Amino acid sequence: MKRLLVWVAFLGLAVVALAWVRQSSNLFINGNLASSGVIMHDGSEYVPVRDVASALKLAITNTSRGIELADVGGANQVSGITGKVGDVLWNGYIRLQIVKVIRTKSYTRQFTGDNQVITPDQGHDLFVAVCKISNGLKNGVTVMYPGGETALTDDQGHSYSPFLGMSADIGSRGTDLLPGASFSSALIFEIPSAAVVGDMVYQASMAGSNTNGVEKMKFRVSVKQ
């Protein structure tokens, strides 16, 4: 009888394993195949962590809290989640899209509601990145003005910080977002007219449940023109 029970249990496991394999699928991130090992089971999807880490260019680390995905390179150049203008980038907390970039001598703010015209100092241009940010978590959060490492870089290794305070083009310093909700704003940089822009680094700043560590998951978007 014991042998029979063991054999039945073995058959049961085999059936379950077969069901998992037959329901496998693919995972795409930003239109690119990230994994062919997605498994559907009981209405949920499972994917190898290593595949997600590779697709997002992150390193896998075993910590006391469990498995953690983090930027590769430590204190070297900020890399983070990379993409280009128009891409919808995901860092595990928010989705960031640089909708368009503008290089100009005069910019009228469009998200503050005051239509203030901003002009640069002589010999400089304004570089404006229009951004769309969406809450990617399953709970409501507050998205604040970008973190301190948000900057625009040029081909000479210089970096430029966005306008702050009364010169910024953002509706609120703290925007409450329900799951899936989004808002738009524009980051304004003043750069020398001769500068050749390279990338924009965006450091998210959030408050609310499940937002710990968001500042480490930076974006690096190519804004070359």
Side-chain angles (χ1 to χ4, degrees), residues 57-58 71-74 76-83 200-201 218-221:
K57 298 181 176 61
L58 299 175
D71 292 346
V72 178
N76 297 325
Q77 170 179 285
V78 177
S79 54
I81 317 304
T82 59
M200 192 190 85
V201 176
K218 303 177 187 68
F219 299 92
R220 191 177 188 95
V221 183

Side-chain angles (χ1 to χ4, degrees), residues 77-159:
Q77 170 179 285
V78 177
S79 54
I81 317 304
T82 59
K84 60 184 184 301
V85 175
D87 289 347
V88 178
L89 304 177
W90 162 245
N91 71 347
Y93 301 85
I94 64 170
R95 289 180 173 84
L96 170 70
Q97 181 184 27
I98 305 301
V99 179
K100 64 179 178 179
V101 295
I102 307 164
R103 188 161 183 166
T104 181
K105 293 290 187 182
S106 176
Y107 173 73
T108 301
R109 297 199 303 187
Q110 54 184 313
F111 300 107
T112 56
D114 61 5
N115 296 320
Q116 179 183 345
V117 177
I118 298 176
T119 57
D121 292 336
Q122 186 174 2
H124 289 70
D125 294 342
L126 295 179
F127 189 90
V128 182
V130 178
C131 310
K132 180 181 179 181
I133 294 176
S134 303
N135 177 14
L137 298 177
K138 295 182 179 180
N139 55 272
V141 298
T142 301
V143 178
M144 264 81 82
Y145 196 78
E149 292 189 30
T150 298
L152 180 69
T153 68
D154 66 16
D155 64 344
Q156 300 300 311
H158 302 133
S159 64

